[in-house]
Amino acid sequence: MPFLRPEDEVILGLPVADVVTQRFRLPSVDPAEFPEMVRIQIEKAVPFSADELTTDFEVIEQNENESVVSAVAVRNARLAEIAAPLLDRGYIPRQVTVYASQRASTHAPEGCALFIYPEGESLVSAFTENGKVSLTRTLEGIEPRQLESELPQLTLSAELQGIRGSFPNILLDESCYELRDTVQGILTSRPELVGIETPPVSVKLNLLPESWRQRRAQLARRGEWRKRLFWAAGAYAGLCLLLLLYLGYLHFRIGRLDSLIARDTPKTEFVRLADANWKSLAPAIDSRYYPVEILRQLFESLPSPDLHITTYGQSARQISVDGEATTAKLAYDFAEKVKKNPGLRIFQFTMADPRILPNGHAQFRLEGRPR
């Protein structure tokens, strides 16, 4: 806390003991309807009204008929209590997420995994699918005997919810090294030791209450006005000073200009090369180029269930989408929706005429290059 500055962006990771995690199977509908469907399911699972909760969700997997969703809820009163040290000092987090989700996304972004790590004096066991938390259990104390009795029950609960009981990844926090043999004896697989992330990867899950969002926006606007006033005052003072020094400095500057250009040439060349390197790295560090984000935008642009994406390819400077539609018109409609999608405007898409198959279906290929 003493090291925080007003301009710092704070992300608050909640312990699993203070949140409710639910795994739902919902029909694949318009993504805009998902939040309301998830809210209804959460209200059925917890004895609190919607006004007392903040909820969010992540899609674990999705097909044409069904979506598997990881939903998380937190009581606003408990969230305010946890964040009180920050709020009392005027720091409003940019994002409120779940620490288990951050760790899962860092170490097991794909497939199923079991993550065991301590939170305070408790031991957390979290099942994850594709980096999303599906099921959690908190054990009081970090004792092997507790793990021996609770872990089989947790595995059974996971299987009842449709989560596979065998995990290709079993991750154990390095601070719990003494539990390694116990976990191996229960699950017949040797767990992998993992350390603390510095920092963990970013996640979509955000439990920031609406009132906090509004307050944060107000503070941001206030800070922006302060910056503008500061820069306006500085510009005015600088202008007055420049007017006083201009006449004397002008002749000296002309004489020094050629020597300064020659001296600064190596520096400007370094800046140019650094700028080129950053541009070449943009696909790796800009979230808009992430395959998961691009695929999400593509699936949101599907005009009909009668159109299917069969192949997706991505390189550093190009993406390609192969698919099949029941009619050529659907293929053209899909191409137009992709071109108009705000999340994909960083690419310039082209599509050749679809190939008509003997059954009347149309095969197409859509290619996109960064603008």
Side-chain angles (χ1 to χ4, degrees):
M1 192 72 67
F3 301 103
L4 289 178
R5 297 171 299 176
E7 64 271 16
D8 288 340
E9 296 286 346
V10 179
I11 298 178
L12 179 60
L14 300 177
V16 297
D18 294 303
V19 300
V20 176
T21 303
Q22 293 287 323
R23 183 180 186 269
F24 301 128
R25 290 185 180 272
L26 302 174
S28 292
V29 296
D30 186 349
E33 299 180 14
F34 262 55
E36 181 64 19
M37 296 175 66
V38 170
R39 184 188 64 80
I40 294 174
Q41 295 295 330
I42 284 288
E43 288 182 358
K44 294 178 181 179
V46 297
F48 304 107
S49 66
D51 295 337
E52 297 180 78
L53 300 172
T54 298
T55 63
D56 198 9
F57 69 94
E58 294 180 289
V59 177
I60 297 175
E61 57 185 14
Q62 188 176 45
N63 55 39
E64 294 181 2
N65 302 317
E66 189 178 56
S67 299
V68 181
V69 176
S70 170
V72 181
V74 61
R75 288 191 66 193
N76 294 332
R78 179 55 182 159
L79 179 57
E81 182 181 344
I82 294 173
L86 289 171
L87 301 179
D88 292 344
R89 292 168 174 80
Y91 298 106
I92 299 178
R94 175 175 62 85
Q95 181 182 12
V96 177
T97 184
V98 180
Y99 183 50
S101 179
Q102 293 178 295
R103 301 204 76 176
S105 298
T106 301
H107 296 289
E110 300 292 339
C112 297
L114 171 61
F115 207 114
I116 302 174
Y117 69 96
E119 283 187 352
E121 298 181 356
S122 302
L123 188 67
V124 171
S125 299
F127 288 110
T128 67
E129 299 174 88
N130 297 332
K132 284 80 173 177
V133 178
S134 299
L135 182 65
T136 63
R137 183 71 59 84
T138 301
L139 308 179
E140 294 299 329
I142 307 177
E143 297 293 337
R145 57 184 178 81
Q146 291 181 307
L147 199 60
E148 291 173 353
S149 62
E150 295 288 346
L151 196 54
Q153 298 180 17
L154 182 60
T155 303
L156 178 60
S157 298
E159 292 176 347
L160 292 176
Q161 292 195 25
I163 308 171
R164 290 188 302 157
S166 58
F167 299 92
N169 296 320
I170 302 177
L171 307 176
L172 180 67
D173 190 271
E174 61 185 5
S175 63
C176 302
Y177 177 82
E178 67 276 5
L179 299 177
R180 192 172 190 179
D181 293 337
T182 302
V183 175
Q184 182 178 1
I186 299 172
L187 301 176
T188 67
S189 296
R190 192 159 185 82
E192 177 187 352
L193 294 178
V194 295
I196 300 296
E197 309 81 13
T198 51
V201 300
S202 60
V203 295
K204 170 186 172 293
L205 190 69
N206 192 358
L207 298 169
L208 192 69
E210 184 59 30
S211 61
W212 293 17
R213 296 177 192 270
Q214 296 175 1
R215 178 58 178 163
R216 182 177 172 82
Q218 291 175 355
L219 293 177
R221 289 194 295 268
R222 184 183 301 174
E224 186 64 26
W225 276 109
R226 287 178 178 174
K227 288 182 180 179
R228 292 178 182 178
L229 291 174
F230 173 79
W231 285 111
Y236 179 77
L239 181 60
C240 292
L241 181 61
L242 286 174
L243 289 174
L244 293 175
L245 298 176
Y246 180 70
L247 293 177
Y249 177 74
L250 185 60
H251 294 290
F252 173 78
R253 182 60 179 174
I254 292 174
R256 291 280 297 170
L257 186 59
D258 291 338
S259 61
L260 290 175
I261 292 174
R263 186 192 68 182
D264 291 341
T265 297
K267 297 180 181 179
T268 56
E269 182 66 14
F270 169 79
V271 171
R272 187 186 64 80
L273 292 175
D275 180 69
N277 289 337
W278 276 112
K279 289 181 179 179
S280 65
L281 289 172
I285 62 177
D286 190 342
S287 62
R288 296 177 300 173
Y289 290 92
Y290 290 173
V292 171
E293 178 62 19
I294 296 174
L295 283 171
R296 183 178 72 84
Q297 299 292 348
L298 289 171
F299 276 101
E300 290 180 358
S301 301
L302 291 177
S304 168
D306 294 330
L307 184 145
H308 305 282
I309 295 175
T310 57
T311 306
Y312 173 76
Q314 182 172 354
S315 63
R317 305 306 298 175
Q318 181 178 348
I319 64 173
S320 62
V321 181
D322 295 334
E324 181 174 331
T326 54
T327 64
K329 181 179 182 302
L330 281 178
Y332 286 113
D333 290 345
F334 174 62
E336 288 300 317
K337 292 191 70 174
V338 168
K339 293 176 182 178
K340 295 177 180 179
N341 191 317
L344 297 173
R345 287 182 178 173
I346 57 174
F347 296 98
Q348 184 173 0
F349 289 93
T350 58
M351 186 182 77
D353 292 336
R355 184 166 68 91
I356 307 303
L357 301 177
N359 62 359
H361 288 194
Q363 284 187 340
F364 63 89
R365 182 179 182 84
L366 186 64
E367 295 182 343
R369 296 178 180 275
R371 294 184 184 273

